[in-house]
Amino acid sequence: MPTITRRTYLALSALAPVAAGLLARESRSEDISSRDVIRNRYFPNLVLMTHEGRQVRFYDDLIKDKIVTINFMYTQCEDGRCPVTTANLVRVQKLLGSRVGRDIFMYSFTLAPEHDTPTVLKRYAKAYGVGPGWTFVTGSPRDMEVLRRKLGFVWANPVRDAKRSSHTGNLRYGNEPLQLWSACPAMAKPEWIAESISWVDWPKTTAAKPG
Amino acid sequence: MHLLKHQWSRLARTAWANRQEIIKAGLGRRDLFKMGLLTSAGYLVAKRGLSTRAAYADDDDNVCSSPPTRAFYDLLPTPRDGTMKIQTPTTLTPTPTAAPNTAAGEGRKITHQAFTQFAPQKFYAVTQRAGYVSVSPDLPLQTLWGFAIGTPTENKPIDVPGPVYVAHYGEPILVRNFNQLPAQDKNGGFGLPSVSTHLHNGHTPSESDGNPCDFFERGYFYDQHYPNVLAGVLSDHQAPPGVDPATGGDINEAMSTLWYHDHRVDFTSQNVYKGLAGFYLLFNDHDTSDENTGFHLPSFPAYDIPMMFADKCFDSSGKLFFDLFNLDGILGDKFTVNGKIQPVLHVSPRRYRFRWLDAGPSRFYQFFLTDLTNLSAHNLFWQISSDGNLLPKPIRVESVRLSVAERADVIIDFAPFAGKTLYLENRLKQDDGRGPTDHEIRSAGQGNLVLKIIVDGPTVADHSQDPATITKFYDLPSTAVTPRVKRTFVFSDSGGGWQINERFFACNDIRFTVQENSVEQWTLINDGGEWEHPIHIHFEEFQTLSINGRAPATSPLVQTGRKDVLRLEADASATLFFRFRDFTGKYPMHCHNTIHEDHAMMLRFDIAPIGDTRQSP
Ligand SMILES: [Cu+2]
């Protein structure tokens, strides 16, 4: 084999398991559940802090068994989008009523954890009239960055991706146990966001007719 | 914006350096393949440190890196071989009714508007459900969602792609579409068991169109009435020459290759990726399916082969993987044709009609015919349609570009290639879901080999007409008519969703109303340098008056014919001509990069007896 440097060698050796892939087909152990696939891929169980100063695990405490909405924000948003987005989501929270905090949970993750401490986030939430069941979350800068990337608040354009404000416009919504996930613009009409969340709601108890 | 797009991160530079080093080290294809570095299609495995695309990702799981699969092992499923099924008529119980049969479990909410006028003559049943499907001998069976011929109780296996509908102008049909998809928590990780099957781009009344908001739930059925009529059939509007007084409608607007796919609002990308799509072929007295009659196009199904292209990603366990949280658009590293990864097709040395369809979710293709033993050859063929409409006449091309939902029917003469092997090769470079990268065309043999074509079939008679001698299919209808209204639509990103005229989609938000039997002129503007948007307008095809102020291109980027998808390039604009006729109700316009579509780059317009004149609705 022709010579190559250590740098390339490392990149190559990371691929060794791929070559064995063809043989592994038969013996592959079935079934890590698709729910676990989603959890492993998107929901790292990071230790985070809420605006109420509570220490939580991302998957165990915030996501598992729940219907959730997820957006990213920061309190000192330069372009003015975060405040209107937060205000819009407050209207969504009102529409969802008492279910928020019961089986629907709203989360806003800060993009500026070095500034947005639990105290700062608490003040922010209070200023906007955020009700119970909607949690603002911070953590170590590294963990918050991991979370942003895992949850796909990422743009292919690296320059765009490096701008905090480019990640504040979208709202993920989903139902963790039912494995239903989609997204909508965080500035969509509150009624539309509430309707969208209804699509990942628990199945209606009224039985559908057989075909 | 253009410059920014190409700024490299440190990792990207490292990846580039590594690749240069591989080239300098003189590692051959065999070496690379053995090391698992080269995929069987002949391109580098996407890995951090090697691929610039992978380098942008924080970790490997943000990049599609499917397990290796053998190329050119499975045969391409075709209607010819019976491996792609053709839908067969049946008798429906209870008998279909104009009003929704709610008591019997119909999920439709709107009465058929043309049910008696175009009474269905044939009836079909189809059941959407989950089933096991093989996409490659090297991957486990996939649990996909597909369409099974027949009712739920017939319990037939699903087909992915779904069965082919063979329809004829003048023969209205009705499809009873059952939703028997699995319960929400049995979706295998993605997909919503709530559906609306759109017939793209049928001249279909709104309530049967498969509108994104007319979804119906599992356990229910939905009767879809397809009149199979020519546009203009109910219209006395400026009856152009070519209108047949006996049957009505404008023959110059006849369509050929349609397809159906799920269109469930917010979940279209997941549901189509999971398998809910198929072909719908429409024939008439000219495009007859028999090469001895009409336009003498190669006979269906022996020499007329539909091909659905869809790129997919598989996780490390070999299961189909959908990136739930991606807004740019999704690319796979496995290329399927009619549901198989890199299949093989055997043909005879004669002319064939291939019907190419890009089923998405986000990839653009530019297909060439490649002879790997003669890479400098320019293998020409004929493009005869753009989307669902035949072109005025065949155009000789070396390649065809397709964005999501675009179709192209082509005629390839394999007689000069008897005994040889050719590859259908996508040479268009695309690094992420935003669109093709600078429209860069790879050199021959360096693209994605998606289909192997072996010209080893017996020599058989060819009664099809040489496209070089075809001087006319149809005339383009005149556009020398003053539009009732000119409207402008700006497609942009909002940093978290996709917009049209700075608004997001909502089902009950009627953005404007088109007056029935009127002409409109729409200008579509892509207000962004980063994304390319394939824009689809339901119900009526358009004719492109100009792109960026100039006449639309012919070969190889044919945009001159009637079309239903407009490839709106970055920072580009296009002005389109429409005639809206015959039926009323709601229809959407949307980006067909299904990721953009699901995240609000869509609008609703209505067609009604009285329209409005909103110019930037
Ligand atoms: Cu788009």
Side-chain angles (χ1 to χ4, degrees):
Chain A
M1 190 186 286
T3 53
I4 48 177
T5 64
R6 181 177 153 74
R7 184 189 64 216
T8 304
Y9 174 76
L10 287 175
L12 296 185
S13 55
L15 289 155
V18 176
L22 287 173
L23 297 170
R25 189 194 183 206
E26 303 307 322
S27 60
R28 186 173 297 123
S29 65
E30 258 315 289
D31 280 351
I32 161 171
S33 76
S34 52
R35 186 178 172 188
D36 286 340
V37 169
I38 293 175
R39 188 188 67 188
N40 294 341
R41 163 88 180 225
Y42 298 107
F43 306 138
N45 210 10
L46 299 167
V47 176
L48 306 167
M49 286 292 277
T50 73
H51 71 278
E52 287 154 330
R54 199 158 53 95
Q55 185 174 299
V56 289
R57 287 264 180 189
F58 177 59
Y59 178 77
D60 288 346
D61 300 324
L62 302 188
I63 303 294
K64 190 178 174 213
D65 294 331
K66 298 174 176 66
I67 294 171
V68 302
T69 70
I70 295 170
N71 75 310
F72 276 79
M73 48 66 71
Y74 51 116
T75 56
Q76 295 191 319
C77 201
E78 307 88 352
D79 67 357
R81 181 153 53 195
C82 309
V84 290
T85 302
T86 304
N88 197 48
L89 295 179
V90 166
R91 289 194 283 275
V92 173
Q93 181 176 30
K94 293 210 172 95
L95 286 173
L96 295 171
S98 63
R99 288 194 60 186
V100 180
R102 201 169 71 219
D103 63 338
I104 300 176
F105 294 83
M106 299 173 70
Y107 301 111
S108 296
F109 295 93
T110 178
L111 291 155
E114 64 285 353
H115 176 271
D116 290 343
T117 60
T119 316
V120 172
L121 290 172
K122 185 170 188 177
R123 209 181 310 130
Y124 182 88
K126 201 174 168 206
Y128 283 89
V130 166
W134 179 355
T135 308
F136 288 73
V137 184
T138 186
S140 79
R142 194 191 158 277
D143 284 352
M144 297 311 285
E145 179 71 0
V146 167
L147 204 59
R148 174 176 79 81
R149 293 191 160 273
K150 285 281 185 186
L151 294 171
F153 287 79
V154 177
W155 297 108
N157 178 336
V159 176
R160 173 183 288 264
D161 192 59
K163 268 178 70 179
R164 269 178 190 151
S165 61
S166 75
H167 305 297
T168 57
N170 195 261
L171 182 78
R172 310 288 198 253
Y173 63 91
N175 181 320
E176 194 276 332
L178 295 189
Q179 310 169 64
L180 299 174
W181 294 95
S182 192
C184 66
M187 279 308 295
K189 291 202 178 83
E191 297 75 17
W192 180 251
I193 294 176
E195 185 176 345
S196 301
I197 294 166
S198 76
W199 299 331
V200 300
D201 204 350
W202 314 106
K204 306 254 185 315
T205 44
T206 52
K209 298 214 185 251
Chain B
M1 190 55 88
H2 230 57
L3 206 136
L4 299 182
K5 188 173 165 184
H6 296 286
Q7 281 190 0
W8 278 15
S9 71
R10 188 181 56 78
L11 262 171
R13 280 196 302 274
T14 309
W16 183 82
N18 284 344
R19 292 165 73 153
Q20 291 307 108
E21 197 170 302
I22 289 168
I23 293 164
K24 268 211 314 241
L27 289 174
R29 290 188 149 224
R30 278 177 72 93
D31 297 319
L32 291 173
F33 188 71
K34 269 193 286 189
M35 293 189 293
L37 256 181
L38 200 68
T39 69
S40 44
Y43 49 98
L44 277 176
V45 167
K47 277 283 164 185
R48 184 175 152 103
L50 284 165
S51 148
T52 44
R53 178 161 63 99
Y56 284 136
D58 177 60
D59 45 23
D60 282 349
D61 68 11
N62 277 330
V63 170
C64 174
S65 182
S66 304
T69 54
R70 268 169 286 178
F72 317 124
Y73 188 88
D74 280 322
L75 290 175
L76 176 77
T78 63
R80 174 192 75 181
D81 299 333
T83 43
M84 193 181 197
K85 292 204 196 82
I86 295 175
Q87 177 58 297
T88 48
T90 187
T91 311
L92 295 174
T93 314
T95 305
T97 48
N101 193 345
T102 313
E106 180 162 18
R108 180 166 55 102
K109 297 186 174 68
I110 307 162
T111 297
H112 293 305
Q113 61 184 282
F115 193 68
T116 40
Q117 202 155 14
F118 303 114
Q121 295 169 22
K122 279 187 180 156
F123 299 86
Y124 298 90
V126 73
T127 301
Q128 302 185 49
R129 67 154 73 91
Y132 292 113
V133 173
S134 170
V135 295
S136 159
D138 301 314
L139 294 173
L141 288 180
Q142 306 293 323
T143 304
L144 301 185
W145 290 359
F147 291 88
I149 293 174
T151 62
T153 49
E154 290 176 72
N155 208 21
K156 298 207 175 117
I158 61 163
D159 295 296
V160 181
V164 179
Y165 288 83
V166 176
H168 300 271
Y169 273 103
E171 186 179 78
I173 68 168
L174 185 136
V175 177
R176 181 159 291 173
N177 191 338
F178 293 90
N179 178 353
Q180 292 283 317
L181 292 167
Q184 276 86 340
D185 63 337
K186 303 284 191 296
N187 69 352
F190 64 93
L192 188 73
S194 165
V195 291
S196 178
T197 308
H198 170 50
L199 177 57
H200 181 138
N201 192 49
H203 199 68
T204 310
S206 167
E207 64 280 359
S208 291
D209 181 54
N211 187 284
C213 302
D214 285 341
F215 48 84
F216 63 109
E217 308 303 324
R218 52 191 299 271
Y220 292 83
F221 70 84
Y222 196 117
D223 281 354
Q224 292 182 286
H225 173 224
Y226 302 135
N228 293 327
V229 289
L230 290 166
V233 64
L234 296 182
S235 161
D236 55 358
H237 164 72
Q238 296 155 356
V243 170
D244 180 340
T247 58
D250 185 351
I251 189 63
N252 295 316
E253 302 194 16
M255 302 190 76
S256 56
T257 304
L258 283 62
W259 66 301
Y260 59 94
H261 61 80
D262 187 55
H263 210 321
R264 185 8 167 127
V265 60
D266 263 32
F267 291 86
T268 295
S269 55
Q270 301 183 28
N271 286 0
V272 176
Y273 189 82
K274 220 169 166 72
L276 296 177
F279 279 98
Y280 185 107
L281 311 184
L282 197 41
F283 294 102
N284 65 13
D285 292 344
H286 305 287
D287 185 359
T288 61
S289 79
D290 177 356
E291 65 192 37
N292 297 294
T293 60
F295 291 144
H296 299 274
L297 297 171
S299 293
F300 178 86
Y303 309 111
D304 175 347
I305 299 176
M307 298 182 185
M308 181 187 292
F309 303 101
D311 55 331
K312 307 278 182 190
C313 187
F314 298 86
D315 66 21
S316 57
S317 75
K319 278 197 199 133
L320 184 64
F321 176 80
F322 181 90
D323 190 355
L324 291 164
F325 299 140
N326 174 321
L327 286 187
D328 275 323
I330 290 180
L331 293 186
D333 61 353
K334 294 295 173 187
F335 292 83
T336 69
V337 192
N338 293 350
K340 300 286 187 186
I341 293 173
Q342 294 177 286
V344 181
L345 174 69
H346 294 272
V347 296
S348 285
R350 55 152 287 158
R351 279 185 286 272
Y352 281 76
R353 176 186 194 170
F354 292 165
R355 301 173 189 251
W356 291 342
L357 159 67
D358 177 353
S362 305
R363 186 176 288 279
F364 293 57
Y365 299 90
Q366 190 156 341
F367 287 121
F368 290 73
L369 278 178
T370 302
D371 177 353
L372 287 179
T373 67
N374 183 8
L375 288 175
S376 59
H378 298 274
N379 298 314
L380 304 180
F381 52 94
W382 297 90
Q383 182 172 351
I384 62 167
S385 78
S386 54
D387 299 341
N389 297 84
L390 289 178
L391 290 162
K393 63 175 190 172
I395 297 177
R396 195 159 211 198
V397 295
E398 187 188 359
S399 68
V400 167
R401 183 177 296 174
L402 294 178
S403 64
V404 184
E406 281 190 299
R407 289 88 73 211
D409 289 13
V410 300
I411 291 180
I412 302 175
D413 188 355
F414 291 106
F417 300 101
K420 291 198 171 176
T421 294
L422 294 171
Y423 293 86
L424 188 58
E425 182 183 30
N426 169 38
R427 294 188 196 161
L428 187 62
K429 185 166 150 57
Q430 185 168 3
D431 296 325
D432 55 59
R434 291 175 293 176
T437 311
D438 291 337
H439 299 138
E440 185 185 327
I441 304 294
R442 292 191 162 100
S443 49
Q446 298 301 306
N448 321 116
L449 304 178
V450 305
L451 174 73
K452 183 179 190 175
I453 305 168
I454 307 175
V455 192
D456 62 351
T459 301
V460 290
D462 187 348
H463 299 294
S464 74
Q465 189 169 343
D466 179 356
T469 69
I470 298 176
T471 53
K472 190 177 109 174
F473 291 126
Y474 303 119
D475 291 316
L476 282 177
S478 168
T479 54
V481 182
T482 306
R484 197 186 75 88
V485 53
K486 295 183 181 180
R487 307 187 199 264
T488 302
F489 302 96
V490 178
F491 295 76
S492 61
D493 80 280
S494 73
W498 306 96
Q499 298 183 309
I500 306 175
N501 286 347
E502 298 191 330
R503 284 166 74 179
F504 301 111
F505 179 74
C507 281
N508 59 7
D509 184 6
I510 305 165
R511 298 277 284 271
F512 60 100
T513 302
V514 171
Q515 187 155 312
E516 193 184 9
N517 296 333
S518 78
V519 165
E520 298 213 355
Q521 180 179 310
W522 296 3
T523 297
L524 276 44
I525 298 168
N526 185 349
D527 185 28
E530 250 188 90
W531 293 271
E532 193 157 323
H533 301 296
I535 306 300
H536 173 45
I537 298 98
H538 283 217
F539 186 58
E540 289 281 11
E541 301 83 63
F542 54 83
Q543 284 165 241
T544 306
L545 300 175
S546 67
I547 292 182
N548 294 330
R550 294 186 301 274
T554 53
S555 167
L557 305 173
V558 175
Q559 303 244 1
T560 52
R562 294 177 60 75
K563 282 181 101 314
D564 53 59
V565 180
L566 191 277
R567 208 184 301 132
L568 194 58
E569 297 183 354
D571 293 320
S573 70
T575 299
L576 312 177
F577 175 95
F578 292 88
R579 279 192 176 86
F580 291 94
R581 286 159 299 189
D582 305 328
F583 302 123
T584 56
K586 62 181 186 292
Y587 294 94
M589 165 163 74
H590 61 90
C591 180
H592 223 299
N593 177 334
T594 50
I595 307 300
H596 299 179
E597 165 187 346
D598 280 345
H599 305 317
M601 191 173 260
M602 179 152 69
L603 60 71
R604 167 184 171 176
F605 66 91
D606 284 13
I607 303 174
I610 303 294
D612 65 39
T613 55
R614 290 185 211 172
Q615 296 185 334
S616 299

